[in-house]
Amino acid sequence: MNDAGDTSLLLSATDVPPVHESNGAGRSPFLFTCDHYGRLLPRALGDLGLPESELVRHIAWDIGIAGVAELLADHLDVHLVAQRYSRLVIDCNRPPGAASSIPRISEATVIPGNDGLSPEAADVRRQHIFDPYHRRIDEIIDARLARGQPTVLVSLHSFTPVYAGIARPWHIGTLYHRDHTLPPLLLRHLRAEGDLVVGDNEPYAVSDITDYTIPVHGEMRSLINTGIEIRQDLIGDQGGQHQWAERLARILGAIAETLRKEAVI
């Protein structure tokens, strides 16, 4: 008997479902995803052998992006789909099987609960956290396309201001690979703000090896897409989250108008 399909091995009835959604009836052409929205751990995994001080750091989730994502979705009437569990359990923006999918070390922190993980145990994490999240994104895109609703995929993230001892100067970055429609527009609008250091595929760049959401849901489905990364110290509190949500709502609203005028959507 294959026990990998038994949800009691990972998520029990007392665990929160992995997928979170807001504004399911949103009429915006944008669709927001948030792969590192939450930092929950399944009860069955305990604390992964880590102290709480590690579980609130950037290695566990994208600090501040949940608040920005919710506010921005409300501002623009956007359907948001997000993932509630910590990236330390399984990273929903990494190809399954990649070393960074279920990391044994994140930055300089050893994750004891991930050490020596069997392929079967890794597959259980995929089945009950990764797969439902990405299956739901697929379902949402299918439904939007079926009713003729334009779909522009925006994957929302945040990044730590200092990584491995190196300070990062960018306030915000645009992440992309094959799409040349949305990223140039976003870069132009962000740079026009005048008070921002804007990353062009910085601090990260999208690739088929290091990413999952944009390559699979955006590029493979020929959707206009981009990733957005905001520096975490700028959105670590509600004030910063409100400011960035309002700024991005103004910018993305203007971009949507441009895309409509150019008959792209």
Side-chain angles (χ1 to χ4, degrees):
M1 177 179 176
N2 181 5
D3 291 331
D6 183 354
T7 59
S8 66
L9 291 175
L10 188 62
L11 298 183
S12 70
T14 59
D15 282 305
V16 175
V19 182
H20 165 76
E21 294 183 57
S22 294
N23 295 338
R27 294 173 294 177
S28 169
F30 293 111
L31 171 64
F32 292 161
T33 59
C34 201
D35 307 325
H36 307 139
Y37 176 100
R39 62 179 188 90
L40 296 179
L41 300 176
R43 290 177 183 269
L45 299 184
D47 55 15
L48 291 174
L50 294 170
E52 180 68 12
S53 59
E54 294 290 344
L55 296 174
V56 298
R57 291 182 61 226
H58 71 92
I59 64 170
W61 63 328
D62 279 3
I63 295 168
I65 202 61
V68 174
E70 295 286 353
L71 292 165
L72 187 55
D74 286 343
H75 279 310
L76 294 175
D77 193 27
V78 174
H79 191 168
L80 165 68
V81 56
Q83 204 288 116
R84 291 184 170 110
Y85 282 88
S86 173
R87 62 191 305 170
L88 296 178
V89 178
I90 186 167
D91 193 321
C92 285
N93 191 37
R94 298 291 183 271
S100 55
S101 170
I102 302 176
R104 283 184 271 185
I105 299 176
S106 184
E107 196 172 15
T109 300
V110 175
I111 317 301
N114 292 346
D115 189 40
L117 196 68
S118 70
E120 293 78 14
D123 193 55
V124 168
R125 296 192 192 186
R126 174 179 180 169
Q127 288 185 44
H128 301 302
I129 294 176
F130 183 98
D131 287 349
Y133 174 60
H134 287 290
R135 185 165 54 243
R136 183 59 188 141
I137 296 173
D138 270 334
E139 291 169 352
I140 292 166
I141 295 172
D142 285 344
R144 292 171 70 98
L145 295 177
R147 62 179 177 261
Q149 183 175 5
T151 299
V152 176
L153 180 67
V154 177
S155 184
L156 298 169
H157 294 266
S158 69
F159 66 95
T160 181
V162 179
Y163 184 79
I166 299 174
R168 290 154 149 185
W170 309 281
H171 298 108
I172 187 169
T174 305
L175 280 60
Y176 58 96
H177 188 200
R178 298 178 177 93
D179 187 274
H180 298 290
T181 300
L182 181 54
L185 282 172
L186 184 56
L187 283 168
R188 187 165 74 239
H189 278 271
L190 289 170
R191 287 168 174 163
E193 295 287 285
D195 62 341
L196 299 178
V197 179
V198 181
D200 181 351
N201 263 341
E202 296 285 0
Y204 307 106
V206 173
S207 79
D208 297 332
I209 297 172
T210 58
D211 295 80
Y212 191 90
T213 298
I214 285 178
V216 171
H217 300 294
E219 295 176 341
M220 288 180 65
R221 303 193 66 155
S222 299
L223 300 180
I224 297 170
N225 67 81
T226 194
I228 292 177
E229 290 266 3
I230 308 170
R231 207 173 69 201
Q232 289 168 358
D233 58 316
L234 304 176
I235 56 172
D237 58 29
Q238 290 187 355
Q241 291 163 19
H242 277 276
Q243 289 173 9
W244 275 91
E246 290 167 5
R247 188 194 292 246
L248 287 174
R250 172 170 47 80
I251 290 171
L252 290 175
I255 288 173
E257 286 303 308
T258 298
L259 293 175
R260 289 189 185 99
K261 287 177 182 177
E262 295 178 354
V264 177
I265 58 173

